[in-house]
Amino acid sequence: MHMTSRERFLKTMRYQKTDRVPYFEEGIRKDVIKAWRTQGLTKTAELSEMFSTDRREEIEVDLEPRPKLKKWPASRNELNVLRKSLDPDDSRRLPGKWSQRVRTWRSRDHMLMLRVHRGFFLSMGVYGWDRFSEVIRLLIKDTKLMREALAIQGEFAARMAERVLAEVEVDAAVFSEPIGGNDGPLLSPKMYEEFVLTSYQPVLDVLNRYGIETIILRTFANARILIPSILKWGFNCLWGCEVNIEAMDYRDLRREFGPKLRLIGGIDLDALRRDKEAIRREVEDKVPPLLAGGGYVPLADGRVRADVPFENYVYYRKLLEKVTRAGMG
Amino acid sequence: MEAKAIIDAVLDFDQEKTAQLVRALLDQGVDALKILDQALIAAMDEVGRQFSTGDFFVPEMLMAAEAMHAGLEVLGPHLARSDIKAKGTIVIGTVKGDNHDIGKNLVAMMLECAGYRVIDLGVNVSKGKFLAAAKKYQAHIVALSALLTTTLAEMEAVVADVRAKGGSRLKTLVGGAPVTASFAAGIGADGYSPDAAGAVSVVRSLISA
Ligand code: B1M
């Protein structure tokens, strides 16, 4: 039974039998490859040819206000400025060579996902402390303004998702939630539901209408206490990146939430920075039980950077293949 | 002294009421330091407690801190400089190569609310600046934040610098997303906290040690 990368992903997420687990590309950047070329990666060698690799692609539509806001609305009267800057019909919001891409995606073999939302903080224009504290203040002092601003973003994101889904059949949708802490999210589950998840509802409605089966929360923080809330809203997959992994051990999540929550990631990148023994323990302890439960794509929990020695990376990839193939029987 | 009303006002994030109640106590002749310790700092201790039990999150913490600040502003002119200095001085910054400051600012804010004098050096702060500021302000603690794994080495270098040249009184506190308790111990930092509220108790124990 040989499967395409796309079939492998879809079946994994459906808890069906696959030929093997998907091995997602880690998104290794050029500077890392350059460093590895001095550590044994030969000039012509390609990682995707050295190891079994499943391609994944993400459609990133432009969800930023256009033109950039000089000042974020400070009262409800000013919300029109935000509304106007989020025009879903603006053709520049779609990635370049759109029609051509749409055509090639129709016959693809790889997994394609759509990033539908950039998360609470980024969508509220938080890139630094001043706007951060302003937004936090609004959450408590001007809840109406906050709710309306979020609703505008939610509606806009929904229309953008619809624009894409009308033309492309994607395999998953991703809500990204980058700003948070290792110790936990910045907002309480109650506030996250009342403000953020409520504003995602129009997007979730569109995803349901188009039958998107896998709805992912990709978090860069310890989002553990938000999981019951996201499940309630219809998310069914968690992808944790750059989170202190002890705080969000996927084996614990599996025990607690069972198959309702599909999982991507979970392998501590720090082990790859350390040594082979740390990698062996990390992969052998964590991957087999998760694999046995299904609905799991093993992946390092962050971007592999230049501080990971090439030798460790090779060892990790080989071991991952060995352990996962053994796990599939 | 009616400290409870002030504590409640802070916990209700009510800046105006906090300021008004502090003013009323001052008018009654209550000692400013007593108001600071028994009402405003006590309120922030309660905020820290509720943060650690998961009842408060960052928005609640930040808003309570702002209410506390409103009280502090009224109190300020009545406090002797020595009152604040006596609690301790902390030099804080994000280490060189790192521009992340949201977490560091929350830590600075909580420390200020706990009555410490906080000298915030900002982001991308070089090793030498930490030590120079610590000497200039006669600091008790150099507090370092790092968000990038690539800047952890810089954190280690600053801690080593402070240990070598800072004298035995000057302590170090470290934190930030990639920093763990074992990393902190490994580089010889005197204290570590995973979050802003926890940083206050670590500072207290370091300064009283
Ligand atoms: C002294 O004692 C203490 C004690 C406790 C202490 C402490 C000190 N300091 C913090 N704490 C603790 O208390 C706080 C509150 O409880 C906590 O603070 P935190 O800071 O952890 O938590 C904050 C309250 C909320 N969290 C944050 O504010 C950080 C959020 C994330 C999304 C983040 C942001 C916002 C930003 N970023 Co940056 N950014 C990410 C972050 C992902 C993440 N979730 O951590 C991270 C940290 N960034 C990253 C990267 C790579 C980068 N970023 C960059 C830039 C930025 C922005 C400017 C866009 C923005 C910074 C805005 C700002 N003014 O701070 C670049 C670096 C710039 C530089 N030289 O610093 C750039 C290199 C991206 C690029 N290619 O340009 C990643 C680091 C990867 C790694 N492990 O090294 C990253 C994990 C995101 C990712 N996965 O890619 C605790 O850690």
Side-chain angles (χ1 to χ4, degrees):
Chain A
M1 164 176 69
H2 175 77
M3 291 178 174
T4 64
S5 294
R6 186 179 183 199
E7 287 166 339
R8 214 168 270 133
F9 173 78
L10 289 171
K11 282 186 183 284
T12 298
M13 291 294 143
R14 289 174 190 151
Y15 293 89
Q16 290 171 351
K17 224 175 156 38
T18 55
D19 56 348
R20 64 167 174 77
V21 77
Y23 301 124
F24 270 180
E25 291 169 322
E26 278 116 349
I28 295 174
R29 289 199 174 126
K30 277 190 188 138
D31 63 310
V32 184
I33 300 291
K34 199 172 155 206
W36 286 355
R37 294 273 183 225
T38 65
Q39 298 171 25
L41 178 67
T42 58
K43 248 189 179 161
T44 50
E46 290 289 339
L47 291 176
S48 57
E49 287 163 14
M50 290 172 67
F51 308 105
S52 309
T53 303
D54 290 290
R55 186 172 165 216
R56 62 180 159 102
E57 190 180 6
E58 187 162 334
I59 306 178
E60 290 186 32
V61 293
D62 177 3
L63 297 169
E64 291 270 353
R66 261 175 181 272
K68 259 197 163 65
L69 297 184
K70 286 200 186 84
K71 180 181 160 290
W72 278 77
S75 72
R76 289 163 70 206
N77 297 338
E78 293 169 16
L79 279 172
N80 242 348
V81 182
L82 176 64
R83 206 171 277 119
K84 275 196 187 141
S85 73
L86 296 174
D87 174 11
D89 297 322
D90 184 339
S91 61
R92 295 168 302 176
R93 294 197 172 276
L94 297 175
K97 299 185 182 154
W98 179 248
S99 315
Q100 190 187 324
R101 282 185 179 197
V102 169
R103 271 196 306 278
T104 48
W105 280 328
R106 283 194 188 123
S107 55
R108 73 181 186 274
D109 284 337
H110 64 277
M111 180 269 208
L112 180 66
M113 53 194 164
L114 170 65
R115 195 190 54 172
V116 287
H117 207 290
R118 295 175 306 142
F120 170 65
F121 285 102
L122 292 191
S123 71
M124 285 294 108
V126 174
Y127 288 93
W129 172 256
D130 290 343
R131 178 66 186 154
F132 174 81
S133 47
E134 204 170 283
V135 163
I136 291 288
R137 225 168 273 130
L138 290 178
L139 274 170
I140 294 201
K141 296 275 178 186
D142 198 342
T143 52
K144 272 193 178 157
L145 174 64
M146 193 33 103
R147 279 208 178 86
E148 282 185 35
L150 282 167
I152 291 170
Q153 287 280 2
E155 269 305 323
F156 163 68
R159 298 289 75 80
M160 285 305 299
E162 199 156 23
R163 265 190 89 176
V164 173
L165 295 177
E167 295 190 78
V168 192
E169 199 182 321
V170 304
D171 305 314
V174 185
F175 289 75
S176 178
E177 205 62 72
I179 302 190
N182 257 336
D183 48 328
L186 301 185
L187 311 188
S188 65
K190 184 167 172 274
M191 208 176 239
Y192 195 70
E193 286 194 30
E194 270 178 31
F195 289 89
V196 186
L197 289 172
T198 303
S199 77
Y200 288 171
Q201 193 59 59
V203 187
L204 292 161
D205 289 343
V206 169
L207 298 178
N208 285 334
R209 198 145 25 86
Y210 281 88
I212 307 303
E213 291 174 31
T214 304
I215 303 180
I216 303 170
L217 179 74
R218 184 168 52 205
T219 169
F220 294 81
N222 173 2
R224 192 185 167 127
I225 60 167
L226 297 180
I227 295 173
S229 305
I230 61 163
L231 287 172
K232 208 161 42 171
W233 248 262
F235 286 75
N236 57 11
C237 182
L238 183 81
W239 184 346
C241 305
E242 304 282 358
V243 180
N244 176 4
I245 209 67
E246 287 154 33
M248 228 173 37
D249 190 319
Y250 276 16
R251 290 166 298 184
D252 294 341
L253 298 187
R254 195 28 77 76
R255 269 191 292 275
E256 193 172 341
F257 300 103
K260 282 183 294 205
L261 187 69
R262 291 140 185 90
L263 296 160
I264 300 174
I267 298 176
D268 187 0
L269 195 60
D270 273 342
L272 271 72
R273 292 192 180 102
R274 258 176 269 143
D275 52 40
K276 289 184 180 156
E277 179 51 25
I279 298 170
R280 193 188 58 73
R281 248 183 292 124
E282 181 67 16
V283 173
E284 289 185 353
D285 288 357
K286 279 195 186 152
V287 174
L290 289 166
L291 216 56
Y296 173 59
V297 179
L299 187 69
D301 70 331
R303 201 178 273 282
V304 174
R305 293 192 165 83
D307 55 0
V308 171
F310 180 57
E311 193 187 339
N312 285 8
Y313 181 74
V314 172
Y315 178 74
Y316 159 70
R317 287 301 304 260
K318 285 188 175 156
L319 182 67
L320 186 65
E321 284 198 27
K322 193 172 130 204
V323 167
T324 50
R325 287 186 200 270
M328 305 296 292
Chain B
M1 180 183 85
E2 207 6 321
K4 189 169 177 310
I6 295 184
I7 296 175
D8 288 346
V10 171
L11 295 179
D12 284 343
F13 322 133
D14 194 332
Q15 299 184 27
E16 254 172 59
K17 196 165 173 195
T18 307
Q20 186 195 326
L21 288 167
V22 169
R23 209 170 291 121
L25 283 184
L26 283 171
D27 290 346
Q28 287 166 29
V30 180
D31 179 48
L33 187 60
K34 202 167 160 194
I35 303 175
L36 176 69
D37 280 337
Q38 294 180 15
L40 293 177
I41 294 180
M44 288 314 287
D45 281 349
E46 178 57 18
V47 170
R49 199 191 61 75
Q50 297 209 27
F51 187 82
S52 62
T53 55
D55 294 314
F56 271 8
F57 286 73
V58 167
E60 293 81 4
M61 189 168 90
L62 201 115
M63 295 314 293
E66 290 197 350
M68 193 268 189
H69 254 271
L72 205 57
E73 254 168 47
V74 177
L75 213 55
H78 302 267
L79 282 169
R81 256 198 108 53
S82 56
D83 290 338
I84 296 273
K85 250 188 170 172
K87 292 202 184 296
T89 298
I90 295 141
V91 162
I92 193 169
T94 305
V95 299
K96 194 168 164 46
D98 206 323
N99 291 327
H100 296 85
D101 68 355
I102 295 176
K104 184 263 297 165
N105 290 355
L106 288 173
V107 173
M109 189 188 76
M110 284 306 281
L111 291 173
E112 229 165 50
C113 288
Y116 295 102
R117 181 164 72 134
V118 177
I119 311 294
D120 189 345
L121 303 179
V123 295
N124 192 24
V125 181
S126 64
K127 196 167 69 177
K129 275 198 186 146
F130 279 109
L131 204 59
K135 287 194 172 147
K136 181 173 170 196
Y137 296 101
Q138 297 173 340
H140 298 82
I141 292 179
V142 170
L144 309 167
S145 178
L147 263 278
L148 300 169
T149 36
T150 46
T151 53
L152 289 178
E154 182 63 21
M155 180 176 261
E156 184 172 0
V158 182
V159 170
D161 202 40
V162 171
R163 282 175 80 97
K165 303 180 200 150
S168 60
R169 195 193 72 154
L170 187 60
K171 304 267 170 45
T172 51
L173 166 71
V174 296
V179 183
T180 59
S182 64
F183 173 81
I187 62 170
D190 299 298
Y192 157 76
S193 169
D195 57 51
V200 173
S201 11
V202 179
V203 162
R204 273 193 190 134
S205 66
L206 286 179
I207 287 185
S208 66

